[in-house]
Amino acid sequence: MKKLVLIATLLAGASLSTFAQEGRGFYLKPTGSYFLKVTPVEFPNVGSLQPRDYVFSINPSSGAQTRISESTITGSFGQGWRAGLTGGFRFNNVVAVELGVNYFQSEKNTMAKQTGYIGNNRVLALEAVGQVSALDLTPSLVFHLPTQMKFKPYLKMGAVVPVYGYLDINTTASDQTGTIAKTVNPNFVAIELTRSERVKPKPTLGFIGAAGFNYPIGKNISFFSEIEYRNVSVNSDSKEVKSFNATGTLANGTKVNVGLNDLPTAVRETNYHKTLTPSSNVAGTANYNPNQPSDDLKSYINIGGLGLNVGLKIGI
């Protein structure tokens, strides 16, 4: 009889421990995630470079180009790793509120590529690669399915509020055709260059939805896993060239080094707008001022996706 009482006491204690963990109160959730892209779209232009993988040949006599292949480059900056910390408060055995802070770094994506040949000799190789880094907040509501089982499913919905982030674009080019070289200096017939640009976004708002479960593994601690979908579209606000190193070649063979400080302000800095007008500072227009930041149309990128979150839920 004493053994039965002891067993019943232990079972009751375990049940109360589990209820305390899943009942009213505060908790923390350290989280690790990996997201996949689910809505790839055409990437925005990188300056004058369109999102194309363009391969062509050049007639050495006439200079005429013949397309070998050309394809649109699509993708999403939503694919990559996330790490976060979420704080929550559970009102009862059904409803809770959470606020997460997450750091995200996307996988690198090729945004533009050009390859040119004269015969079997490659005379142009250009590639622009982008990567997003971001910090966001995720306020959300969580709805738990009341159950006496250890496996405790739930649904979550909320918003994504990016509070800091940027898109870095790194471009490398080896040009013996003059095509890229002349955009730096009209007297160049060839160039080797590396360039790094940073695009800053405007404030935006997205949404999240998730389905997951908690599984208690100790007093006031559970393992959790969830599938989360994020829809976040970000538009550009401004761009700055952070570094620029190039060696250009003149027609007489002279080598000329070009650095960041050699670029005019209009090349180093760009402001993005929904609409351009006759007063916009755009290269080629009558009122273009190279000593002022240039203007361009804003573009959009997607940093959402479908991901798996795993971590611990710790009652406090």
Side-chain angles (χ1 to χ4, degrees), residues 157-185:
M157 63 183 66
V160 182
V161 185
V163 294
Y164 176 76
Y166 48 83
L167 165 63
D168 278 340
I169 305 174
N170 296 304
T171 303
T172 59
S174 176
D175 173 33
Q176 305 300 315
T177 70
T179 305
I180 303 301
K182 284 179 169 53
T183 64
V184 178
N185 185 322

Side-chain angles (χ1 to χ4, degrees), residues 20-29 86-100 138-144 156 313-316:
Q21 181 183 5
E22 296 296 334
R24 178 183 176 91
F26 290 96
Y27 56 86
L28 291 175
K29 297 169 64 177
T86 297
F89 181 80
R90 186 159 177 172
F91 296 98
N92 48 48
N93 64 343
V94 176
V95 181
V97 293
E98 294 184 349
L99 177 62
T138 53
S140 57
L141 281 172
V142 185
F143 301 94
H144 300 81
K156 180 169 69 175
K313 179 180 178 184
I314 304 168
I316 56 176

Side-chain angles (χ1 to χ4, degrees), residues 6-24:
L6 179 60
I7 292 172
T9 302
L10 291 174
L11 290 174
S15 298
L16 288 172
S17 169
T18 300
F19 178 78
Q21 181 183 5
E22 296 296 334
R24 178 183 176 91

Side-chain angles (χ1 to χ4, degrees), residues 9 101 139 148 228 254 273 284 307:
T9 302
V101 180
Q148 296 301 314
E228 179 181 299
T254 302
H273 309 274

Side-chain angles (χ1 to χ4, degrees), residues 9 58 72 76 93 99 127 142 169 171 200 214 230 269 301:
T9 302
I58 300 174
T72 301
S76 169
N93 64 343
L99 177 62
E127 186 174 21
V142 185
I169 305 174
T171 303
K200 295 181 180 179
N214 298 312
R230 290 181 168 223
E269 301 175 20
I301 60 171

Side-chain angles (χ1 to χ4, degrees), residues 3-232:
K3 288 184 178 180
L4 290 176
V5 171
L6 179 60
I7 292 172
T9 302
L10 291 174
L11 290 174
S15 298
L16 288 172
S17 169
T18 300
F19 178 78
Q21 181 183 5
E22 296 296 334
R24 178 183 176 91
F26 290 96
Y27 56 86
L28 291 175
K29 297 169 64 177
T31 310
S33 315
Y34 187 78
F35 277 71
L36 299 173
K37 58 186 176 185
V38 293
T39 53
V41 296
E42 184 175 304
F43 285 123
N45 290 358
V46 181
S48 61
L49 300 173
Q50 293 184 323
R52 302 286 188 270
D53 185 352
Y54 179 49
V55 183
F56 61 95
S57 63
I58 300 174
N59 185 316
S61 300
S62 64
Q65 294 184 6
T66 301
R67 180 188 298 109
I68 297 175
S69 67
E70 184 176 13
S71 57
T72 301
I73 299 178
T74 62
S76 169
F77 287 104
Q79 183 166 339
W81 293 95
R82 283 180 172 84
L85 179 65
T86 297
F89 181 80
R90 186 159 177 172
F91 296 98
N92 48 48
N93 64 343
V94 176
V95 181
V97 293
E98 294 184 349
L99 177 62
V101 180
N102 307 280
Y103 175 76
F104 168 67
Q105 188 172 70
S106 76
E107 300 285 2
K108 295 180 179 179
N109 289 274
T110 295
M111 300 178 68
K113 190 174 184 180
Q114 294 182 11
T115 309
Y117 293 93
I118 294 179
N120 293 323
N121 297 319
R122 189 175 66 178
V123 292
L124 173 64
L126 178 147
E127 186 174 21
V129 177
Q131 185 175 38
V132 165
S133 299
L135 186 71
D136 64 52
L137 300 177
T138 53
S140 57
L141 281 172
V142 185
F143 301 94
H144 300 81
L145 179 65
T147 176
Q148 296 301 314
M149 300 184 298
K150 284 191 173 184
F151 182 85
K152 301 183 182 300
Y154 62 85
L155 296 174
K156 180 169 69 175
M157 63 183 66
V160 182
V161 185
V163 294
Y164 176 76
Y166 48 83
L167 165 63
D168 278 340
I169 305 174
N170 296 304
T171 303
T172 59
S174 176
D175 173 33
Q176 305 300 315
T177 70
T179 305
I180 303 301
K182 284 179 169 53
T183 64
V184 178
N185 185 322
N187 296 315
F188 286 167
V189 296
I191 199 168
E192 302 282 333
L193 72 80
T194 60
R195 179 181 65 204
S196 176
E197 305 166 275
R198 177 163 292 180
V199 181
K200 295 181 180 179
K202 287 187 176 180
T204 190
L205 183 68
F207 74 86
I208 60 172
F213 68 89
N214 298 312
Y215 189 87
I217 56 176
K219 185 177 181 180
N220 292 331
I221 185 168
S222 296
F223 168 80
F224 78 89
S225 178
E226 61 189 29
I227 298 294
E228 179 181 299
Y229 173 72
R230 290 181 168 223
N231 189 325
V232 191

